[in-house]
Amino acid sequence: MNTAAPSDRPLKVALLGCGVVGSEVARLLTRDGDELARRIGAPIELVGIAVRRLGRARDLDLPAELFTTDAHALVARGDLDVVVEVIGGIEPARELILAALEHGASVVTANKALLAEDGAHLFEAAEKAERDIAFEAAVAGAIPIIRPLQESLAGDAVQRVLGIVNGTTNFILDAMTTTGAGFSDALDEAQRLGYAEADPTADVEGFDAAAKAAIIASLAFHTRVTIGDVHREGITDVTAADVRSADEMGCVVKLLAICEKISTPDGDAVSARVHPAMIAKSHPLASVRGAFNAVFVESESAGQLMFYGPGAGGAPTASAVLGDLVSVARNRRQDVHGPGDTAHADLDVLDVGRARTRYHVSIDVDDRAGVLASVADAFAQYDVSIKTVRQEGHGSDAQLVIVTHEADDAALAATVEVVRALDMVRDVSSVMRVEGLN
Amino acid sequence: MNTAAPSDRPLKVALLGCGVVGSEVARLLTRDGDELARRIGAPIELVGIAVRRLGRARDLDLPAELFTTDAHALVARGDLDVVVEVIGGIEPARELILAALEHGASVVTANKALLAEDGAHLFEAAEKAERDIAFEAAVAGAIPIIRPLQESLAGDAVQRVLGIVNGTTNFILDAMTTTGAGFSDALDEAQRLGYAEADPTADVEGFDAAAKAAIIASLAFHTRVTIGDVHREGITDVTAADVRSADEMGCVVKLLAICEKISTPDGDAVSARVHPAMIAKSHPLASVRGAFNAVFVESESAGQLMFYGPGAGGAPTASAVLGDLVSVARNRRQDVHGPGDTAHADLDVLDVGRARTRYHVSIDVDDRAGVLASVADAFAQYDVSIKTVRQEGHGSDAQLVIVTHEADDAALAATVEVVRALDMVRDVSSVMRVEGLN
């Protein structure tokens, strides 16, 4: 185990993974080594790069002997100061990170999936090893959000975080808003331009955003939230009609990750959910275009803050990784470690049914007397208060568009069930949450 | 001198100043002491508050014996872990901070004027004392910008920072944009609503923004920039006509703090300037309304980032102060100190004449043949390339509106001199820089 406190001796760094992000990290470490050394106060030495296959053409001017396929041996060599993990996925990333910590290295990782599933385990291992685990790159690429939550807002009480944390879905929804296209045409275009993968499931079904929501909620509220705690709805059901309705209400449709602290009769609790929502055009998040990400934080003293930037990509993610690397290397040099993760608040995670927001509901109805009364009655039955009703079309094309006041998610869901069963209702064609409207 | 490394013993904190920010810090320290202790890992104890006059009604439930008028004795007591300075101004803040560091305390300060004038001196003193000096609250209130520059972007190369860092002037310019009012009416309104002080000089003449520009440029480029190095123009000459012209170009007028790294034949240098500018409505800074602040960062790997939030006010500034307090207290507890300020790049600061940007120039002319040729000739003489020319009005009311390609500030100034002296030119009624247009 590497117990010696380095002072001016070179800090030894190993890199796990050499894909888009990893090769950019290796390139910058090599090119900017002198500048980074000045910022850290000691030189850094890249001593090994673990890859799946040797011999793949990598556009890196590095000696071949740096590369190895034996990641386990690399992290166990015992003289490493920092291990940078950019393999992704659960295994072998988890066991490699745990081994790195056990052998005395601090860890920098961009692995949102692992952190969202098993962050607590990693944080405990780091605490026990008295080393750092830094992960700015895991949420929203180069946008500093982890450090602001952990440090800048450490003296404040965060109440709510709203994030656009997936670039692919924001690109698709922005294209739908701009061109009027439906979901599948916009997805095709995103794939053609390289903003969506061939299998877009992780993005469009909200899995990627849910992992980030779990990480954000844990840090913002000093508690443990895993991806399994996050309510998740993707954007595959968002229609061109939804986007038009949003526009008519002065809104745009965004896939939001929403993390909230909620007061309950049993004390404070947290709620974390990912779903498409209409958001007022006057809200700063509404102007986040294309594949950009942004995280909007509401806290007691600081008020409203927003962090905006590119949420993905090799170079931005490498920037976040290198920022973390400089920080943990500075700590290694002083033989200290950062504050780590605090989960002292230990809050319950509420079921999405208890989240409260407003709703936009489109109902296809028969155009005859009494239909509004019956529908309104169903809403009243579950205490869902209606703010506006608008009838559109006539005859067999009639539609009621209802916007509610704030209501429980469970109450709204029950209301929709009842409405759907009404004789004169042909279909509830769309239900969407609404954020940021007065 | 306080040399003992605290472990779980309470950390002793003294507060210098108990105005709007100081009393909010004291209130939150008292109310949230238990929560802050959990985040720091040790309790904190507020041991003294230095004020100018005792007995002033302060809405604080604190024992009278905490208050003292002898700030010098307070910082010299020798057992302090952290001194929070929120007095402002150069003296006695400077000598109190230096004394606090000498006596072994880390320092948290919101004092932009002092940092912009003599930051180097304070940073050296902190380094020598092996203590922290933290100052997130000095720039843009609660918006985390110091820490992102010092830490998150520590592995990246910042190229340019554009900031709206003064809430008063943004409120005034936003009101002019929204209502069409002139500067003095908008200032009156801002004063009436409490967004501008009775003597608004520090804000409207750009002194406050220039101090923040000096701090940002120093951190972003790892060099020393003082307020004296910052070119400064206020907003008092911005007219309703300028705001209208901006709108016609698809721009809004903002007071921008611009910090740039510039390649010269003699190597890299920096430029820092504060002046009103037209900025494209599509630029994220254009949508920063009212008294909000935002800082837009362009860096090599991360690309474009923006940080947005309230730039002033007691509670937001207190949030930033407490965030810093938690960080430096964590460090005191481990008996370490943060990375400190690095000025290793040691770059020259360029005269504003060498800054390059685009210009919008309004020229009142006689409406006769040859006027455009003469004016165009003057621009050509100094190599200032014209992008668009538009003639407005006729006869004695004729005006040429010229937008240039990028040009040196000095070349543009020389051009304006020549144009102003032309026979057929009655006046150059407005010259304004343009940012963010393609």
Side-chain angles (χ1 to χ4, degrees), chain A residues 236-250:
Chain A
T236 53
D237 292 338
V238 177
T239 64
D242 290 330
V243 171
R244 273 198 309 277
S245 293
D247 185 57
E248 281 161 19
M249 280 181 66

Side-chain angles (χ1 to χ4, degrees), chain A residues 24 27-28 31-32 35-36 38-39 136 142-145 147-148 150-158 220 222 261 284 287 292 296 299-310 315-320 322-324 326-327 330 334-340 342 344-345, chain B residues 24 27-28 31-32 35-36 38-39 136 142-145 147-148 150-158 220 222 261 284 287 292 296 299-310 315-320 322-324 326-327 330 334-340 342 344-345:
Chain A
E24 181 67 8
R27 191 180 73 80
L28 292 171
R31 193 197 69 179
D32 301 338
E35 176 67 19
L36 293 170
R38 277 189 290 271
R39 297 186 189 175
E136 187 64 78
I143 308 173
I145 179 63
R147 202 175 295 277
Q150 281 186 320
E151 301 184 15
S152 307
L153 289 165
D156 205 337
V158 175
H222 304 275
K261 195 170 192 172
S287 55
F292 276 85
F296 188 83
S299 68
E300 185 187 292
S301 293
Q304 302 185 330
L305 301 172
M306 189 170 84
F307 305 84
Y308 164 95
T317 308
S319 169
L322 285 176
D324 275 350
V326 168
S327 288
R330 281 169 176 164
Q334 293 196 78
D335 199 22
V336 297
H337 59 107
T342 57
H344 59 263
Chain B
E24 182 67 8
R27 190 180 74 79
L28 293 171
R31 192 195 69 180
D32 300 339
E35 176 67 19
L36 293 170
R38 277 190 290 271
R39 296 187 189 173
E136 187 64 78
I143 309 172
I145 179 63
R147 201 176 296 277
Q150 281 186 320
E151 302 182 17
S152 307
L153 290 164
D156 205 337
V158 175
H222 304 276
K261 195 171 193 172
S287 56
F292 275 84
F296 188 82
S299 67
E300 186 187 292
S301 294
Q304 303 184 328
L305 301 172
M306 189 170 84
F307 306 84
Y308 164 95
T317 308
S319 169
L322 286 176
D324 276 349
V326 168
S327 289
R330 281 169 175 163
Q334 292 196 80
D335 199 23
V336 298
H337 59 107
T342 57
H344 60 262

Side-chain angles (χ1 to χ4, degrees), chain B residues 52-87:
Chain B
R52 209 177 306 168
R53 278 192 310 280
L54 292 177
R56 249 186 70 197
R58 287 181 184 87
D59 208 9
L60 290 170
D61 189 20
L62 289 172
E65 59 270 25
L66 274 186
F67 293 90
T68 172
T69 56
D70 192 347
H72 288 86
L74 180 58
V75 298
R77 46 184 273 174
D79 63 346
L80 298 177
D81 294 291
V82 185
V83 169
V84 176
E85 184 272 308
V86 287
I87 304 173

Side-chain angles (χ1 to χ4, degrees), chain A residues 232-286:
Chain A
R232 179 189 51 75
E233 298 171 32
I235 65 164
T236 53
D237 292 338
V238 177
T239 64
D242 290 330
V243 171
R244 273 198 309 277
S245 293
D247 185 57
E248 281 161 19
M249 280 181 66
C251 291
V252 290
V253 177
K254 296 287 184 190
L255 181 70
L256 297 182
I258 302 180
C259 306
E260 293 176 298
K261 195 170 192 172
I262 294 175
S263 293
T264 77
D266 310 323
D268 284 344
V270 296
S271 159
R273 50 204 167 94
V274 167
H275 54 68
M278 299 181 179
I279 188 161
K281 287 178 189 169
S282 59
H283 193 285
L285 285 174

